[in-house]
Every structure is written in C-alpha cells, then in structure tokens.
Amino acid sequence: MNNKFKLFIGAFCVLALQACSTITTDSKATLRPTGDLGVIIERATGQVQVVNHTSKEIISEVDGLGDLSHASIVFSRDQRYAYVFGRDGGLTKVDVLTDKIDKRIIQSGNSIGGAISQDGKLVAVSNYTPGGVKVFNSETLELVATIPASVLTHKPANKDGTPVRSKVVGLVDAPGQKFVFSLFDSHEIWIADFSTGELALTKFSDIGLFPYDALISPDGRYYIAGLFGEDGMALLDLWHLEKGVQHILKDYGKGDKKLPVYKMPHLEGWAMAGDFAFVPAVGQHKVLVVNTKTWQQVAEINAHSQPIFVMAQPDNRQIWVNFAFPENNTIQVFNTETFELVNTLQPGPAVLHMEFTPRGEHVWMSVRDNNEIQVYDTKTQQLLKTLNSKSPSGIFFTNRAHHIGL
C-alpha cells in the first residue's frame, strides 16, 4: 500500500468519524425521553398539551380530539402513546414524541373512559351508547372484541330497532389480562378475561343499585363500586371470586338526610395509605377513613366542603383534597397519621384535578376557570410555577403506564 493511498484512507476515516459525530450530536439534540412527560386535557377546545414535569414546561399542543368534556387517558407500555377517551366515542392515539395524532377512530356514540391491558396490547373502552365495552388492538386500533351490555327489557327499543342496553362505568384493568367493569342500569359487575387470547366473561348480578363509578386497589386485588341507588359499596375480591360481591360500608352514601349532592365523588380518586383508605363522603363535608383489612369506617376528617378527589402523595404522608362546586376554589392537605389539617390553599376557581410527579416532590393542579395549571412543592405547599392552559381538566403523567388501574 503506497503512502498516497494510506493518506487517502486516513483522511476518509477522519471525515467518516466526524460525520458520525455530527449525526450523533444532532440526534441527541432531537431525542426526547418519555419518563418525565405528561398530557393535559383542554376540555373546551378538544386539545391536549404535552408537558415535561421536570422542567415544568409545556412542549406542544395537539388538536382535533373531539369532545373532551369527560376525557381520560392511559399510556402505552413504552410511555410513547397516550390513548385519549373522549365523551363523543372517540378513541385517539397521540404520539407524545412527535406531538401528533397517530390514529383516531369513533367507536361509539357516547363513552366514559377506558383501560389498557397488563401486557399493553389491548385497549378497552366503556360505552354509554350503545351500552357495552369495545376492545381494540393498541397498535392499530383495530377492533378485537365487542362486549354488549345487558339488555334492558323494560325499556322500549331504540329508534333503529336495536335494544337498549345498560350503560357501562368503572372500567379498569386487572392483573392477568383482565378488565373489570360495572353495569349501571342492570346492577352488575363483569370480568372480561383475555388471558388465553380468547374472551371469557364472568358476571355477578344483584351487586347493589346503580353502580356509578369504581376503582381497583393499587395491588389489583379489590374492585370496589360506589352505588348511586342505595347506601354502601360493592366489593369484589379478585383473588377469591368464589366469595362473590360483598356489601361494605353500609352507611356510605346520601343517608336518611338526603343532603344535596353537588357532584358525586370520583372513586378513582380514593387514597390508600398503609392500612387506611381515605374516601370522599357523599354530600357531607368529610373525608372518611376506612380500615382496608376489615373495610369498616374507623374515623372521619372534617373538611372544607364536599370532597371530590382525595389523593395520596406517592410517599403516603399526606392526602390532598379538592371540592365540589360552588366551593371548588380550595385544596386541603391532611396528615395521614394524625388526620390533622396541614394546610388550606386557594389556587383559584374550579380546581378540577391533581397529579403528583412520580416520586411526589411536586403536584400539578388544573385551575379550569383561570385557564392555568399550577405546580406546587408538596413539602412546603408553595406555588412554584403557573402555566397557561385552555380550560384544563385531567392531568396524566406517563408513569401511569406502570401502575395497575391507571
């Protein structure tokens, strides 16, 4: 090999390395990790915001998502995609890395939330109209299964001749490739099991009158439905289905006084800390403390007004409570050991939702009627930053992808 050729090869290698270095540098500049991202619902405009909760910044805004008046979100296993469930029956798959809609379908006339399976391959949507659950391939949004709800034989048929079916509420994912949900009008709880690749249904009837919402415990064991038509709650132990549905907290509800209820509490906002569950009372200015070993109430905490969400910090040291209209400008923080009030905050009108950063150092709040998001330090309860957002409601961080029931 002559010297000229050696020099040529050497120069070529240097240029190649420089090119590789340039490509690598440019690629790093455009990379966006998913671990500290989140999505905020802008309910009035059919838009969502993609945010970074480490830098406390809004990254982008994605529109074209339809009716988001009661929207919720779950995330893909890799945290890249947000599945947005709209009230208009829309199921939208948003890519939080490219800030674009990946896919969107209209799967029903009226829907009320959804869930993603344990392996991340199935997305289920609960529907009011027509009543039932539809299950989709999470990658393609192709229909995998339709689960019609029970027919309401006492009601006349729809205008198109189809039977009226029960509304479905309280849909959650459960371990073992299962979805669990409640049927409002037919007073049932169903389990949809996809563990074998085929759908298997288990049905529990007469579980209590009109289950309106539900939750699953963080370990995936207990499914609990609130009852609109009677006091008490319905509990299903998913480890022991042979026990059937149990009636717990027989005094939970509106009671004999029939207090005015401005908004039914969201059971998905229950806080579970240690051996206690902290439950928003119905129509009362109280948070109820329930022993999760016996499912009996052991204490109550006097609160500012009618609580809606009662949420625990990730370290379970404190619970944060928001309230129903017309006193919905306030947040209260309580200690979970002593049940004492730590602080009362007034972020502004219509504080709808809260979301904690994964390790709990900060909490984000949507203040709908001020068109803003406020970020607080959970230790000091001091306001750290305010972000502009159009009628914000739900706030969802991507770490939810790795939690049961979220």
Side-chain angles (χ1 to χ4, degrees):
M1 184 181 296
N2 60 42
N3 290 335
K4 287 184 178 181
F5 187 71
K6 288 180 179 178
L7 288 170
F8 171 77
I9 292 296
F12 177 79
C13 289
V14 169
L15 289 172
L17 287 171
Q18 288 177 341
C20 290
S21 176
T22 302
I23 292 171
T24 302
T25 301
D26 290 344
S27 297
K28 285 182 178 178
T30 58
L31 287 177
R32 182 192 297 173
T34 60
D36 57 359
L37 298 184
V39 177
I40 296 173
I41 299 292
E42 294 182 299
R43 59 185 295 164
T45 57
Q47 297 171 303
V48 297
Q49 292 176 312
V50 179
V51 299
N52 182 301
H53 58 67
T54 297
S55 60
K56 306 180 201 61
E57 293 177 334
I58 297 169
I59 296 173
S60 66
E61 195 168 58
V62 182
D63 58 17
L65 281 82
D67 183 353
L68 300 183
S69 58
H70 197 289
S72 61
I73 291 175
V74 297
F75 290 97
S76 61
R77 191 184 183 99
D78 61 7
Q79 302 179 320
R80 176 170 180 174
Y81 297 103
Y83 298 90
V84 184
F85 307 101
R87 194 59 186 264
D88 56 0
L91 169 58
T92 309
K93 182 181 178 184
V94 176
D95 189 334
V96 299
L97 295 186
T98 64
D99 308 317
K100 295 178 181 177
I101 292 175
D102 182 79
K103 292 180 176 64
R104 175 173 165 80
I105 59 172
I106 300 296
Q107 56 83 41
S108 76
N110 187 345
S111 60
I112 194 70
I116 190 165
S117 62
Q118 186 175 38
D119 66 0
K121 294 181 179 180
L122 300 174
V123 174
V125 190
S126 56
N127 293 315
Y128 278 7
T129 309
V133 172
K134 288 187 178 180
V135 183
F136 300 88
N137 180 298
S138 63
E139 182 177 351
T140 64
L141 296 192
E142 293 177 353
L143 184 64
V144 172
T146 297
I147 307 172
S150 296
V151 174
L152 304 179
T153 56
H154 61 284
K155 290 196 172 184
N158 294 311
K159 291 182 179 179
D160 61 1
T162 58
V164 176
R165 297 183 181 274
S166 175
K167 296 184 286 291
V168 170
V169 298
L171 172 65
V172 300
D173 63 280
Q177 286 294 96
K178 297 180 179 72
F179 297 107
V180 190
F181 50 93
S182 297
L183 283 67
F184 177 82
D185 305 278
S186 56
H187 324 301
E188 298 175 88
I189 293 174
W190 290 8
I191 302 173
D193 186 342
F194 288 88
S195 60
T196 65
E198 300 294 330
L199 169 62
L201 284 175
T202 302
K203 303 179 181 181
F204 298 88
S205 58
D206 299 319
I207 59 94
L209 297 180
F210 303 109
Y212 68 90
D213 195 10
L215 62 89
I216 192 167
S217 58
D219 60 4
R221 177 171 181 175
Y222 296 107
Y223 179 83
I224 303 171
L227 303 174
F228 188 79
E230 63 180 282
D231 287 347
M233 291 187 170
L235 178 144
L236 180 61
D237 185 343
L238 298 176
W239 292 8
H240 295 285
L241 297 182
E242 71 279 1
K243 294 181 179 179
V245 176
Q246 303 171 58
H247 201 259
I248 63 170
L249 299 177
K250 62 182 179 62
D251 296 323
Y252 182 80
K254 288 174 281 189
D256 295 331
K257 295 181 180 179
K258 303 300 179 188
L259 298 169
V261 179
Y262 297 108
K263 184 175 177 62
M264 290 298 286
H266 280 270
L267 298 189
E268 291 180 1
W270 270 32
M272 292 195 180
D275 292 334
F276 297 123
F278 296 86
V279 185
V282 177
Q284 303 179 59
H285 297 189
K286 296 177 181 179
V287 174
L288 309 182
V289 185
V290 176
N291 185 310
T292 56
K293 295 186 182 298
T294 64
W295 295 107
Q296 298 295 315
Q297 181 180 333
V298 295
E300 60 185 33
I301 301 171
N302 292 323
H304 162 74
S305 186
Q306 295 183 17
I308 298 298
F309 285 106
V310 178
M311 300 186 67
Q313 295 174 187
D315 63 5
N316 288 337
R317 291 291 298 276
Q318 298 179 149
I319 56 171
W320 295 60
V321 185
N322 71 342
F323 300 95
F325 178 85
E327 298 182 289
N328 59 3
N329 66 338
T330 299
I331 294 287
Q332 286 192 310
V333 185
F334 296 92
N335 182 287
T336 57
E337 281 189 312
T338 64
F339 309 153
E340 294 176 348
L341 178 66
V342 175
N343 206 343
T344 297
L345 309 174
Q346 289 191 323
V351 185
L352 296 187
H353 290 268
M354 296 170 283
E355 181 84 338
F356 293 96
T357 51
R359 298 200 180 196
E361 72 280 7
H362 299 151
V363 61
W364 290 43
M365 301 177 192
S366 58
V367 188
R368 185 193 63 196
D369 293 353
N370 270 359
N371 295 304
E372 62 187 27
I373 299 292
Q374 295 183 9
V375 184
Y376 287 80
D377 183 298
T378 54
K379 184 177 181 180
T380 64
Q381 297 91 52
Q382 295 298 307
L383 178 64
L384 300 176
K385 192 167 186 179
T386 298
L387 303 169
N388 294 326
S389 186
K390 305 182 191 76
S391 297
S393 56
I395 306 171
F396 305 86
F397 292 156
T398 56
N399 63 296
R400 285 172 168 256
H402 307 298
H403 292 273
I404 296 168
L406 295 180

